Amino acid sequence: MRPSVPPHTSQTAQTQPSPDAVRIRRTMAEVTPVAEKVTSYFYALLFVRHPHLRPLFPAAMDAQRDRLLRALLTAAEHIDDTPALVAYLQNLGRGHRKYGTRAEHYPAVGECLIGALSRYASASWDTETEAAWVRAYTTISQVMIDAAAADERRAPAWWHAEVVAHELRTPDVAVVTVRPDQPYPFLAGQYTSLETPWWPRIWRHYSFASAPRSDGLLSFHVKAVPAGWVSNVLVHRARPGDTIRLGPPTGSMTVDHTTDSGLLCLGGGTGIAPIKALVEDLAEHGARRSVEVFYGARTDHDLYDIDTMLRLQQSHPWLSVRAVVDRQARRRLPDAVRAYGPWHEYDAYLSGPPGMIRNGVDTLTSIGIPSERIRHDSVEELVVAQ
């Protein structure tokens, strides 16, 4: 089951937290230092009391066993921030469909959530706290159930897709192109989850490497990482003719075509894939907005898609592409952006490793770009994108 995090919001939450929110945050403060124990106990309860739910989870859960619980706790902590919470939970509910999650599964999860929290938050747990969590979970689960039901009326839980091309760009980076078995609507800048036949029920997230194409094909840039089950088979084992599964598209790192603001794009490693998609999207809309792309890599060897980006630059005078190689300049991608600008009138897009995104957000806000104009994939999602 797949978590995310509510998007950053500036003034949507109430100034004074509700009594339920106060109790929930008190619980969170107590269980955070023992989060691993809470997670283990939660799953022990779930699988002992409700063994029929075990097949919904991957056989090996070491990389993602805490994701469901973390999602629920994160949602509960934001219970007062209704607009952000609802958008987050709707996306979560839609994403759960690919795991076979149904409405009747939610009460069991809630029961075990309360059981785990009451055991490890004993100092703050009382009747009122339990009631606050029950109310929060009821709200959370109903939004997710409703979103899944609405999504079921318009889209499948997953798509089958045949691998039609597999290009090894470097020893550990492949461009994988697939053909879905039915129309797959998405927006440039979004990402999806992939499951391979070699690791059933293990889903990992990858950005679309192009804008929507007339032939319906989808491309992904995949880097094999140590102990990365999905990434390694996609790079080293997948071949044309193989079939994978796709979850629904998600993500808000998309272009606002109602404005003419310039775009400042930072792509690190395979994070250049959605940046390339955004550039193609702008070109297809006939935009003439200034687009500045900083393409970061550790070495020249890692600039596996630089030729594509330079060809786009030659075709579009409004596009500028700069390569930033860490080991040459001895500076990180976000720091290189400081040498140019000013950027305060630009919308910023970041895609790449979690550390790059965190540093990038800090750098961009420090040079005058408002946080609400900075878009990026969920850092927490990227940590487990293997």
Side-chain angles (χ1 to χ4, degrees):
M1 297 185 180
R2 171 186 176 276
S4 181
V5 232
H8 171 76
T9 52
S10 53
Q11 299 295 327
T12 54
Q14 298 175 8
T15 304
Q16 294 297 323
S18 67
D20 278 4
V22 170
R23 294 187 176 95
I24 286 168
R25 289 166 189 167
R26 190 179 298 136
T27 304
M28 292 289 291
E30 188 173 353
V31 301
T32 296
V34 291
E36 289 190 6
K37 292 181 178 179
V38 177
T39 300
S40 296
Y41 191 72
F42 167 77
Y43 280 110
L45 286 179
L46 189 64
F47 297 155
V48 169
R49 295 181 181 178
H50 308 280
H52 64 287
L53 296 182
R54 184 64 181 87
L56 297 180
F57 295 82
M61 298 177 61
D62 56 327
Q64 61 182 34
R65 69 184 185 123
D66 65 334
R67 304 188 75 205
L68 169 61
L69 183 61
R70 188 175 66 211
L72 297 174
L73 296 179
T74 301
E77 195 172 17
H78 291 77
I79 200 66
D80 281 354
D81 193 356
T82 303
L85 182 65
V86 169
Y88 160 64
L89 290 172
Q90 288 176 336
N91 184 57
L92 195 62
R94 289 190 291 267
H96 273 55
R97 291 183 58 216
K98 66 179 179 289
Y99 296 99
T101 306
R102 299 192 302 271
E104 58 266 29
H105 297 153
Y106 284 87
V109 172
E111 167 203 327
C112 297
L113 171 66
I114 299 299
L117 292 175
S118 62
R119 179 181 177 90
Y120 287 96
S122 55
S124 59
W125 199 263
D126 54 25
T127 303
E128 290 79 9
T129 299
E130 180 168 332
W133 276 96
V134 169
R135 284 189 290 269
Y137 183 77
T138 300
T139 298
I140 290 168
S141 58
Q142 195 59 56
V143 173
M144 293 175 66
I145 290 168
D146 290 346
D151 194 57
E152 188 172 7
R153 293 191 289 269
R154 67 175 187 84
W158 63 76
W159 288 252
H160 288 100
E162 179 187 356
V163 177
V164 297
H166 185 283
E167 179 187 357
L168 202 60
R169 292 284 183 87
T170 76
D172 58 358
V173 174
V175 176
V176 182
T177 302
V178 303
R179 178 186 291 112
D181 62 346
Q182 53 188 305
Y184 188 99
F186 73 98
L187 299 174
Q190 289 190 306
Y191 62 95
T192 187
S193 49
L194 305 184
E195 181 209 48
T196 71
W198 302 283
W199 293 107
R201 301 193 303 279
I202 302 287
W203 295 80
R204 292 294 184 262
H205 305 106
Y206 296 98
S207 296
F208 300 103
S210 67
R213 296 165 47 166
S214 58
D215 59 12
L217 298 181
L218 310 173
S219 291
F220 304 95
H221 294 182
V222 183
K223 180 180 176 65
V225 299
W229 296 350
V230 174
S231 65
N232 274 288
V233 296
L234 285 174
V235 172
H236 300 302
R237 188 167 178 175
R239 292 295 180 267
D242 291 332
T243 299
I244 64 173
R245 289 203 297 175
L246 307 172
T250 189
S252 58
M253 201 181 78
T254 55
V255 175
D256 179 1
H257 291 288
T258 66
T259 178
D260 58 0
S261 300
L263 272 68
L264 171 62
C265 302
L266 282 65
T270 54
I272 198 63
I275 301 301
K276 171 176 166 285
L278 293 176
V279 171
E280 292 178 354
D281 185 38
L282 285 165
E284 289 174 7
H285 278 78
R288 294 296 180 266
R289 299 158 64 175
S290 174
V291 180
E292 305 282 339
V293 173
F294 288 79
Y295 182 0
R298 289 189 175 90
T299 67
D300 284 330
H301 177 74
D302 296 320
L303 293 170
Y304 68 91
D305 210 35
I306 189 63
D307 290 344
T308 302
M309 297 306 299
L310 292 177
R311 283 195 296 271
L312 287 171
Q313 178 180 250
Q314 291 175 349
S315 301
H316 307 299
W318 41 265
L319 172 63
S320 174
V321 177
R322 297 182 179 90
V324 180
V325 181
D326 284 357
R327 292 183 184 174
Q328 286 181 351
R330 295 187 178 180
R331 60 179 177 178
R332 294 185 176 181
L333 176 60
D335 298 326
V337 177
R338 293 180 183 273
Y340 299 89
W343 305 116
H344 58 276
E345 296 295 332
Y346 281 68
D347 294 331
Y349 294 78
L350 296 88
S351 182
M356 189 220 87
I357 290 180
R358 293 189 183 99
N359 292 334
V361 170
D362 291 343
T363 299
L364 296 177
T365 53
S366 72
I367 60 178
I369 299 182
S371 58
E372 62 270 18
R373 298 182 70 170
I374 301 174
R375 299 187 181 189
H376 58 83
D377 292 332
S378 164
V379 172
E380 284 71 14
E381 296 269 342
L382 296 169
V383 169
V384 294
Q386 299 179 352

